[in-house]
Amino acid sequence: MTPPERLTVRGPEDILGFIPHSLGYWPAQSLVAMTLQGKSLGATLRLDLPGREVLASPAQFLLAVRRYLEADKEADGTLLAFFTSNGNASSPSRYDGLLAGLDAMLEKAGMPVREAWYVGEDFWREAWCVDASCCPVPGRPVQEIRDSMLNTEMVYRGSSIGPQPEEQLPSVLPVSSLHLAAVREAEAAWSSQLDLRRASRPQFDAVLGLWWALLSRPHGEAWVPEADRDGFLRASLLVPAYRDALLMMAAAGVRAAEAGAGQGGLFRGGCPLDPVAPQEHLPGAGASADGLQGGAVQEELCGQEELCGQGLPAEGIPAYGDVLMGVAPAAPDWDRLNALDLALEQLAAAGGRAAAAAFTGRGWIAWCRGRGSYSAAYLRQALEAEPGYRLAELLLELVRRGTLCGWAARREAAWQKFGPDAA
């Protein structure tokens, strides 16, 4: 996440007070690095503080930090904060050597460390300050950070600081065990029908049409559980081609989803069966404002039917891999991705294999937002629901390597919790 415009930073307490809002939680045993673009804050990186073995030979850790920060092409400086378990952020710190290594490396990379701090449980201090008159032992109270003006401003804007990602409680609507059983029963019934229609273009349109209607609801409209609809949506997540098309559609639009499915050869075999969907969502009523109309858009993109299964890119339409990595489009549709995140949270509640797909989608969205800790937590939940779930494994490896989603690396494309016009 990049910070909203027009935040006033009056001192280090404000910068340190912004970090938990940027991450969504107060970090523990963490290195937090923030890029600077002139006097503006850029991207935020959080990594677990390394153990003794890594501290003794930190080269790979240092390279991972540099690689991540270099994704911000406009960065010309760095801020570092070491959130430790020491109550008094004592000096000297066991991380002084790591700080020295980061300082030298980032100086050479053109992103010199402007300021660095140690933040303990009770006290904090400037890492390079040795003057007891301004940096008294055991440090300055952490409450100064919690009481900072910027922290107050962020709370006023509606931000809150939650628990650690692995301790997050789902905000799903309370439903009865009978409802969840009905959802799973509907999912099984729909899944058997969708399996027979995987090569059907009209069925693909029906699936994406229902998802599009769900993601296009007015902002703030409450989720109303519907066992038959939710079972259909969960069944659609069990088809990898539908799942991938959903991620593409949410980020890049219907045409990108259609083109990706066509290039992957999804419709090559054809299917004589009529499409299925919950009764109120049967095709024919106009699936979307973006053109899900029985294949017309696909014909326009490909020009000739026989080209659609041969991996030929449609001009101006991003490929699935580019969307997955946040390379294209220039900026995703964050409103649709936010809506998808909320929908997947609700659909994961019934557990099972569909929950693995839902958690993986949430993990990808969190990664696109630049929130690696949340992403890792969701992806681990996916692998608990279905060990070996391939997309979750691939994404978790990206997170562990410190790979930054392309959108998160660009200020003009990055997710902003409060929107670009937050005041």
Side-chain angles (χ1 to χ4, degrees), residues 255 260 354 375 394 396 404:
R255 289 172 175 81
S375 178
L394 292 172
L396 187 56
L404 184 63

Side-chain angles (χ1 to χ4, degrees), residues 32-112:
V32 177
M34 303 184 73
T35 59
L36 288 172
Q37 301 170 4
K39 294 184 178 181
S40 299
L41 294 176
T44 302
L45 163 69
R46 190 214 68 86
L47 292 172
D48 290 339
L49 283 173
R52 294 185 182 278
E53 290 186 4
V54 175
L55 289 175
S57 182
Q60 291 300 315
F61 183 88
L62 297 178
L63 288 174
V65 174
R66 189 186 72 182
R67 184 172 62 248
Y68 189 103
L69 297 179
E70 283 179 336
D72 185 348
K73 303 301 183 183
E74 305 300 320
D76 57 13
T78 310
L79 302 173
L80 299 177
F82 295 77
F83 286 80
T84 75
S85 59
N86 294 335
N88 60 0
S90 60
S91 177
S93 168
R94 65 182 296 190
Y95 302 108
D96 285 347
L98 183 64
L99 173 58
L102 288 167
D103 184 37
M105 180 195 65
L106 293 174
E107 178 75 33
K108 292 179 180 179
M111 297 178 289

Side-chain angles (χ1 to χ4, degrees), residues 248 317-329 364 405-407:
M248 289 194 71
I317 301 297
Y320 172 66
D322 289 341
V323 175
L324 189 69
M325 297 299 294
V327 175
W364 177 69
C405 173
W407 296 318

